[in-house]
Structures are given as C-alpha cells and as structure tokens.
C-alpha cells in the first residue's frame, strides 16, 4: 500500500463544499478512505475539512452537512472593510512568490481591519469540530504569523487547541480577525500558499494528493498555481509524486463569490464530478 499524503487547500465557504464533493467523488470511484492517509496538511478551508475527517466524520456525513444548514457558520461583519480588503488582496495577488516581508505586510493590515470580535470568530469553530483535541492521525495545520510573516505548521505536538489552529488557518485577512495561537497572532495559511503541499516533506510519504480550488479559476489562481509548481518540484526531489485535483470549467459559475453559503449544494456536486474525473490518476498512485 502506497504511503499517501493529502494536502487540502484554501477556498472559503465554497471551497469547503467543493473539497467535500471532491473527496466524495474520489472515495466513491476508488473505494478510497481519505482519513486513512499517513499525513494530512490542511490550509484554510482545507484545515476544516481535514480536521473533520480525521476527527471521525465520514465522507457521507460531511456531504450531508453541506447539503443542509451546517452548524457554526463563521460570523462575518455586515459591512466588510473594503479599503482593507482592497489593499490586502492587491498586495497578495501582485506577487509571483510570497515572502515573509509581504506576508507580514498583509498580516499587519489585517490586524487593523474592521472585523467581528476574535472571540466570536473562534467560538464558531467549536460547533464545526469535535472538541479542541487533536486527532490521533498526523494532522498539520498551516497559518501565517502577523508579527513575522513566517508560515507556521501546527501539529498535535504544538500544544495548542486544534479549534484555535483551524480558526487561525481560516482567517482570511481583512475579512476575519487574526487569531492568537500561543504567543502570536496568525492569519490564513493560504497567504503563504494555497496548497502548502511542501509541509509533507520529511513525512515518509511516497505520493501525495492536493485538493484545492484556488489553483483554478479564481483571482488567486495564478499565485497559487505558481506556489503549487514550486512545491511539486520540492516533493519530486524527495521522490514524492504529486497528483493535483483542481477545479474544471464548472467551478467558474461561482466566480469570485467564494464566501456565499448559497453555493454550497452546487459546489458539492461540482466537486464530486471533479473528483470522479481525477479518479484514474489517484488509482495510479495507489496501485
């Protein structure tokens, strides 16, 4: 059996639903259990999906949750701080490669943006996760330090509640508040990379699967695509084959509206179809 790693990337509310659909499509077509991977790296939306899987939620349960009204919707400020968002995404999308300096600029601006209170934001993850304890499996959750701009990769050994790590990883700068984890504040791990597949390096996996919508038809697609290709080369140097599952043309119907819960049901079905389309490539690395 191939030692497999799984990296689930960012993508907002729609990304969560799409990733759940992809995992369902792959599982159905290949008889594959995503919770059985050796290592799972979660970034932003992917940190939520990955933690739910490793805490024991079945794929069918995750699909059902997306097709109903899932508990614990993340609170958004009624009127977003458009000035902050414009500055943040202008910086974020203009670069070909994220650096600590640029990430710090984004994080510092996020710290001054008008958002909901941090306590309310973090509390919403309690309804979506099964407690604050880390799962027994090797889960790695990514975030970016507001103070240094460096990427953090939290694990069970980090000594922080998984709910807080996931909340930080999902904290889209300018939209949600930076989250205190340990002695620092952190924002979305997707600031560093939409995939963070290189967090699988040194884990002993022989092959890896990346699932994430930001490499596809979104405003951050170019930046995230360049990051994924750099990570692919690093993994290849360690002998790790990377299979990526990114959106097809069907995903373009959601446009840039990736925080709209009204798209959940449709995103699950688009993801399921994209997963089924990628099933042959997954079978090839599993064999």
């Amino acid at each position: 059996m191939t030692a497999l790693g799984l990296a689930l990337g960012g993508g907002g509310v729609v990304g969560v639903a799409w990733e759940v659909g992809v995992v369902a499509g792959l599982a159905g077509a290949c008889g594959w259990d995503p919770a059985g991977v050796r290592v799972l790296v979660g970034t932003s939306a992917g940190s939520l999906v990955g933690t739910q899987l490793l805490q024991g939620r079945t794929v069918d349960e995750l699909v059902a949750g997306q097709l109903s009204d899932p508990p614990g919707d993340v609170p958004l400020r009624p009127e977003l701080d458009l000035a902050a968002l414009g500055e943040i995404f202008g910086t974020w999308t203009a670069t070909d490669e994220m650096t600590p300096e640029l990430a710090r600029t984004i994080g510092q601006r996020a710290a001054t943006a008008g958002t909901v209170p941090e306590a309310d934001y973090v509390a919403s993850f309690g309804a979506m996760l099964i407690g604050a304890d880390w799962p027994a499996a090797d889960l790695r959750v990514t975030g970016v330090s507001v103070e240094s701009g460096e990427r953090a990769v939290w694990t069970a050994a980090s000594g922080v509640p998984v709910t807080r790590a996931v909340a930080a990883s999902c904290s889209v700068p300018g939209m949600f508040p930076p989250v205190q984890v340990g002695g620092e504040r952190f924002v979305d791990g997707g600031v560093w990379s939409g995939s963070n597949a290189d967090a699988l390096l040194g884990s002993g996996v022989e092959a890896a699967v990346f699932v994430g919508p930001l490499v596809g038809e979104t405003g951050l697609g170019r930046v995230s695509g360049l990051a994924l290709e750099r990570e692919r080369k690093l993994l290849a140097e360690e002998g790790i084959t990377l299979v990526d599952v990114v959106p097809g043309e069907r995903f373009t119907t959601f446009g840039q509206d990736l925080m709209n819960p009204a798209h959940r049901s449709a995103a699950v079905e688009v993801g399921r179809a994209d997963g089924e389309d990628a099933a042959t490539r997954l079978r090839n690395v599993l064999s």
Side-chain angles (χ1 to χ4, degrees), residues 181-197:
V181 183
E184 293 184 64
R185 295 172 300 167
F186 292 86
V187 292
D188 197 324
V191 169
W192 189 259
S193 163
S195 44
N196 286 300

Side-chain angles (χ1 to χ4, degrees), residues 100-101 103-108 111 144-150 178-181 183-187:
E101 293 75 23
R104 183 178 182 277
T105 297
I106 290 170
Q108 292 288 318
V144 173
S145 169
V146 169
E147 281 72 31
S148 70
E150 298 283 352
V179 174
Q180 191 86 14
V181 183
E184 293 184 64
R185 295 172 300 167
F186 292 86
V187 292

Side-chain angles (χ1 to χ4, degrees), residues 175-231:
M175 193 169 290
F176 301 115
V179 174
Q180 191 86 14
V181 183
E184 293 184 64
R185 295 172 300 167
F186 292 86
V187 292
D188 197 324
V191 169
W192 189 259
S193 163
S195 44
N196 286 300
D198 59 324
L200 293 166
L201 292 169
S203 65
V205 301
E206 301 167 271
V209 177
F210 165 67
V211 177
L214 290 186
V215 180
E217 302 293 336
T218 69
L220 291 169
R222 182 186 65 84
V223 180
S224 296
L226 290 170
L228 181 62
E229 290 313 306
R230 287 190 293 271
E231 293 159 15

Side-chain angles (χ1 to χ4, degrees), residues 109-123:
R109 185 64 181 93
T112 65
T115 65
V116 297
E118 179 188 350
D120 294 346
Y121 170 72
V122 174

